[in-house]
Amino acid sequence: MKNFLFNSVVVRRWLAGLALLATTLVLGLVFFPWDLLRGPINRYVSEQLGRRFEITRHLSVSLGRTTTVIADGVEIANPEWAKDPYLLKATAAEFDISLLPLLAGKVVLPRIKMTEPRIGLQIEPDGRRTWAFSRNTSDKGASPQIGTVVVDQGSLTYLAKAQGADLDVRFSLVPESANTMPLRYQATGRWNNGSFTASGRTGGVLEFSKNSEAPFPVELEAVAGKTSLKAKGSIADLANLGSIDANFDLQGKNLDDLYGLFGVVLPATPAYKLRGKLDKNNKIWAVSQIQGLLGKSDLSGSMSFDQSSKVPLLTGKLQSKVMDFADLAPVIGMEPVGSSTQAVNSVGVSTPNKKAKSNTDKTTPPNGTAPGKVLPRTPLNVPRLNAMNADVTYSAADIRHVKVLPLDKGSVHVVLKDGILQLEPISLGVAGGSVAGTIRIDSTVLPAAVTTRLDVRALQLNQLFPAVERTKTGFGKFSGRFNLTGRGNSVAQVLGSSSGDVALLMGKGEMSNILLEFMGLDGGEVIKFLVRGDDTVQLRCAAAAFDVKQGLMTSRAIVLDTSDTVITGQGQVNLAAETLDILFKPQPKDMSILSLRSPLRISGTFADTTAGPEASALAGRVGIALVLAAINPLLALAATIETGPGENADCAAVLSQAAQPKSATGKK
C-alpha cells in the first residue's frame, strides 16, 4: 500500500513536471524573440527559393503543421535578368507555410495576406519566368503552390516580350459590405505591341487552389489598340484559368486584329460589334449565342477554339440573314467602303484617326490597289495559314448591294489544315442561277499556289446585268466555268500569273434589238426603234471563251448570233497588265439604210476602258460617203446602205468549240 502511494506521488510529480515543462516551452515559443532567427530564416529560404528572400523589420511565428508567419517588410528578389528587381515587396505580409513540403524543396502557401504589395512578373521568350523558384527559372522550374490571396492595395507589373506585353496594374480593396467584387483594378501599358488599358472588379479573396470549386467573379473592360472588350462572369481554377463562364461584348476595326490578341486566325473585315457567351473548359474556348454586325451585315452563330493540340483548331457555324456585299472588300484585300464603317459606328465602335496611318497605309492606296489599277494588291497574310487549323461554315440568306453581279444568297465551307486553305463547296445564287465550286490556297509553297474551279449554271440574262436597262427585256440562261491556277500573295499576283480557261455559253433566248443596232451603228434601225419602241430579237446562241496562260487571256470563241445580226469577236485580256483589246465584227442579216456598221473595238485598261468603232474601217465608209456627197448629196446615202451579208452561225459547232479549252490546265 505504501509502495502504491509512493508511486502515485511520483507519477503526479512527473506529470506536474511535464506540464510545467510544456508550459515553459509554450511560453518560450510565444515570447520567443523570433527576430533573432530572421537572419537564419532569410538565408535558408533564400537557398530553397534560389534567390534573395528577406524579412526586413519584424518577425513573429505561430508554429504548427501549417506555420503562420507574420512579417513586417517582406522582399523576394527577381532574377538578375529581370527588369523589376522585386518579385514581391510588401509593407507587411502574413502567410501560412506547410513545413514538410518546404523541407523537400516545395513551397506550399495555403494562405497569403499582404499589405501594399508590389509584384513584378516577367517571362522571357526562352521560357524563363520570374515566378519559377529554381536555379534556371525555366518553364520547368517549380512555382509555389498558392491557396488564397488577400490584398488591400498595391501594384503589379507584367513584362512578356514574346507577347509584346508591358503592363502596369494598380489595385485596391474597397469595403466589402454587400459587394461581391470589392477588389478594383486599373491596368495601363502595351499588349501585342499596341496600347492597352483595362479596368474592372474582382472578388476580394483570390482563390488559386486547384481544388477550389468556388467561382471567382470578374468584371472587365479592356481596350487593346482598336479592339475593345467588355466581359462579366466567373473563373474557376484561377491559377490556370481552367474554366471561364462569361458574357461579353467585343468590337473593333477588323477581326483580323484578334490574331495578335488571342492567336485566332480570322479574315479581314470591316468594323464590327459582337456579343455572346464565352465558356472555357481547360484548353477549349467555346463562344456561343453570337449576335452582332460586321459592317452592315448581321452575324450570328457559334464557334470553338481548341488549343489542346500542337496546332489549334477553330470550328464553328456562322450565318447572316442579310449580308452587304461591300463588307467582303477587306477579305480580298480592299478597304471597306465608308457605309460599312458608318453602320457600326452608329452603335458605338470607335474608328481610327485618319491622321494616324499604319506602315501599310504609307505604301498602299486606300482601296488596296496600285494607282491606275483595279485588282487588289494588298498582300494576303499567307504565313498565318500555318498558325492553326479550321473547319467553319458560313451562309448568307440574302446578299444585297452588289454592283457587278446580282448575287442573292451564298454559303461556303472553310477547311484549313496544315497550311492549305480549302473553300469547298462554295455556293452562290447569281441572277436566278448558281455559281458553285472550290478555291484552294496552298501556303506550303512560296508564293502561294491558288486553284479556282467554279461552275456557272442557268444565269438569267435579264437579271445578269441589272444596271443595263436594255437587258431587262431579254431572257435566256448562261452557263460556263472558270478553271484557273496561279501563284502569288495577292489577288492581282494570282490572276496575273494564272493559267487555265474561262467560258460562258448561252443557248436560245431573246434580247433587245436596239442594243444590237447600237453595237452595229445601224442608224436607220436605231431611229425606227426610238420612234415606235424597242423590240426583242431571237437569240440563237452566244459564247465567250478564253484560254489563259500566265495571265494572258486569248479568245477561243466570241460569238453572238441572233435572228437579226451575227457578231463575232477576237482579242486578248492581260490580267497582269490589266489591259484589254477585243474586236467585235457585226454582220447584219437584213438590209438597212443609215448604217455605218464597222468592227467595234473595246480596249484600254481595266480602270479606263474605251469602246468605239474600228477607226480604219469606219473611216473608209465615211470617205466613200464624202466623195459621193460631193457629186450628189443623195448619193451619200448609198455608202450607208447595208445589204445584210450575215448568215446564221453553226451554234452547235460554236458551243462545242467554246466548251473545249486548248490549255492543258483547263482540261478535265
Side-chain angles (χ1 to χ4, degrees):
M1 185 65 179
K2 290 182 178 181
N3 290 335
F4 174 77
L5 294 174
F6 175 77
N7 290 335
S8 298
V9 172
V10 171
V11 170
R12 286 197 297 271
R13 288 178 178 178
W14 273 104
L15 291 175
L18 291 173
L20 179 61
L21 178 60
T23 302
T24 303
L25 289 174
V26 170
L27 291 174
L29 292 174
V30 171
F31 295 102
F32 184 82
W34 289 102
D35 280 332
L36 296 177
L37 297 180
R38 278 194 295 123
I41 290 175
N42 290 342
R43 289 190 294 272
Y44 177 76
V45 176
S46 297
E47 178 65 24
Q48 295 299 315
L49 298 181
R51 83 249 326 256
R52 185 179 68 83
F53 171 87
E54 185 175 359
I55 300 172
T56 59
R57 292 191 296 274
H58 177 67
L59 170 67
S60 62
V61 178
S62 177
L63 296 176
R65 292 184 61 182
T66 298
T67 298
T68 300
V69 177
I70 303 174
D72 288 336
V74 177
E75 296 178 359
I76 303 177
N78 264 330
E80 294 182 356
W81 49 263
K83 178 181 179 181
D84 193 319
Y86 296 103
L87 173 65
L88 172 64
K89 184 175 183 180
T91 302
E94 178 179 327
F95 48 92
D96 297 338
I97 301 178
S98 298
L99 295 181
L100 292 179
L102 187 62
L103 296 175
K106 297 181 181 179
V107 180
V108 179
L109 306 173
R111 182 182 65 92
I112 299 175
K113 181 179 180 181
M114 293 182 289
T115 302
E116 298 180 344
R118 168 184 165 187
I119 302 169
L121 306 178
Q122 183 173 338
I123 183 170
E124 293 293 283
D126 59 8
R128 290 177 297 166
R129 303 172 299 169
T130 58
W131 60 93
F133 289 157
S134 63
R135 293 292 190 274
N136 61 7
T137 64
S138 68
D139 194 49
K140 296 181 180 179
S143 299
Q145 297 180 19
I146 300 175
T148 61
V149 176
V150 180
V151 296
D152 58 351
Q153 61 181 0
S155 64
L156 179 148
T157 60
Y158 178 72
L159 181 61
K161 296 178 181 177
Q163 296 172 305
D166 187 356
L167 301 178
D168 183 11
V169 184
R170 307 283 174 171
F171 49 86
S172 60
L173 192 67
V174 297
E176 188 165 348
S177 63
N179 192 346
T180 59
M181 291 185 284
L183 186 63
R184 309 295 179 93
Y185 62 89
Q186 180 79 37
T188 57
R190 300 186 69 78
W191 185 271
N192 190 36
N193 294 316
S195 61
F196 179 86
T197 61
S199 62
R201 304 182 301 169
T202 69
V205 178
L206 284 67
E207 178 62 73
F208 290 95
S209 174
K210 293 183 180 180
N211 298 323
S212 174
E213 297 181 357
F216 180 73
V218 175
E219 278 187 8
L220 169 68
E221 291 189 18
V223 178
K226 298 177 178 66
T227 304
S228 65
L229 171 68
K230 293 182 180 180
K232 183 177 182 180
S234 61
I235 302 174
D237 187 6
L238 188 60
N240 301 295
L241 298 179
S243 178
I244 300 177
D245 182 2
N247 295 314
F248 69 88
D249 286 271
L250 181 67
Q251 61 186 40
K253 178 188 176 184
N254 192 336
L255 280 177
D256 181 64
D257 294 339
L258 298 185
Y259 175 76
L261 299 175
F262 306 115
V264 182
V265 180
L266 294 173
T269 67
Y272 64 90
K273 182 180 178 66
L274 303 171
R275 64 175 47 187
K277 188 176 186 300
L278 172 65
D279 293 286
K280 180 180 182 292
N281 187 6
N282 294 323
K283 292 188 176 182
I284 300 178
W285 301 73
V287 181
S288 59
Q289 302 176 26
I290 297 174
Q291 297 288 339
L293 291 174
L294 273 70
K296 294 192 294 183
S297 304
D298 68 273
L299 187 71
S300 62
S302 61
M303 302 191 76
S304 176
F305 190 54
D306 187 350
Q307 295 178 301
S308 59
S309 301
K310 182 178 180 181
V311 180
L313 174 64
L314 178 70
T315 58
K317 184 176 182 180
L318 300 170
Q319 54 272 334
S320 298
K321 294 180 180 178
V322 177
M323 193 269 281
D324 193 292
F325 188 76
D327 296 331
L328 289 178
V331 178
I332 59 174
M334 301 183 71
E335 286 290 322
V337 297
S339 59
S340 293
T341 303
Q342 293 168 5
V344 178
N345 287 348
S346 65
V347 289
V349 174
S350 60
T351 54
N353 189 330
K354 293 183 179 180
K355 296 181 179 180
K357 298 289 185 180
S358 64
N359 292 334
T360 56
D361 290 334
K362 296 177 182 178
T363 58
T364 305
N367 63 353
T369 63
K373 303 295 183 180
V374 173
L375 299 178
R377 280 166 166 74
T378 301
L380 304 175
N381 204 325
V382 174
R384 287 190 183 177
L385 298 182
N386 295 278
M388 73 175 198
N389 294 329
D391 189 339
V392 178
T393 60
Y394 170 76
S395 62
D398 186 5
I399 302 177
R400 299 181 182 178
H401 303 144
V402 187
K403 295 182 179 180
V404 181
L405 287 175
L407 299 176
D408 49 47
K409 61 183 177 180
S411 65
V412 61
H413 182 199
V414 181
V415 177
L416 173 60
K417 187 174 183 181
D418 301 330
I420 298 176
L421 178 63
Q422 191 99 349
L423 308 181
E424 182 180 13
I426 298 174
S427 179
L428 300 173
V430 183
S434 67
V435 176
T438 178
I439 296 177
R440 185 177 188 269
I441 302 176
D442 185 354
S443 69
T444 62
V445 296
L446 294 177
V450 181
T451 302
T452 302
R453 300 282 187 266
L454 297 175
D455 290 324
V456 179
R457 296 184 180 181
L459 272 61
Q460 301 291 338
L461 173 63
N462 59 348
Q463 300 179 32
L464 189 57
F465 305 105
V468 182
E469 185 68 26
R470 294 298 175 181
T471 65
K472 293 182 179 180
T473 58
F475 70 87
K477 295 182 179 181
F478 275 98
S479 295
R481 66 163 177 265
F482 295 84
N483 292 337
L484 296 173
T485 299
R487 302 283 295 272
N489 294 334
S490 70
V491 173
Q493 287 180 2
V494 171
L495 291 178
S497 64
S498 61
S499 297
D501 76 284
V502 175
L504 282 175
L505 313 175
M506 183 176 177
K508 293 182 178 180
E510 291 185 357
M511 66 180 300
S512 168
N513 208 333
I514 194 173
L515 184 62
L516 283 177
E517 304 307 339
F518 269 122
M519 293 177 65
L521 293 180
D522 190 336
E525 293 295 312
V526 169
I527 292 174
K528 178 180 68 175
F529 291 125
L530 289 178
V531 171
R532 71 182 190 183
D534 193 9
D535 198 358
T536 59
V537 63
Q538 294 297 315
L539 178 68
R540 301 184 66 250
C541 61
F546 293 83
D547 291 307
V548 187
K549 185 175 182 180
Q550 295 297 310
L552 183 63
M553 299 175 60
T554 303
S555 62
R556 182 169 67 252
I558 301 178
V559 177
L560 177 65
D561 184 20
T562 73
S563 58
D564 178 80
T565 304
V566 175
I567 298 177
T568 60
Q570 62 182 21
Q572 292 183 329
V573 178
N574 192 321
L575 296 174
E578 296 193 24
T579 60
L580 73 162
D581 186 7
I582 300 177
L583 186 65
F584 294 96
K585 298 178 180 179
Q587 294 181 334
K589 299 177 182 179
D590 57 352
M591 180 181 293
S592 175
I593 63 172
L594 297 178
S595 174
L596 293 177
R597 292 185 188 271
S598 62
L600 179 70
R601 184 176 295 277
I602 299 178
S603 60
T605 66
F606 292 0
D608 185 15
T609 303
T610 60
E614 174 69 3
S616 59
L618 183 60
R621 287 209 171 201
V622 173
I624 294 174
L626 291 176
V627 171
L628 293 176
I631 301 173
N632 186 330
L634 294 179
L635 293 179
L637 291 177
T640 67
I641 296 176
E642 183 63 71
T643 59
E647 297 181 359
N648 288 343
D650 186 347
C651 283
V654 167
L655 297 179
S656 176
Q657 178 188 0
Q660 296 298 322
K662 296 178 181 179
S663 60
T665 55
K667 293 180 180 180
K668 294 185 178 180

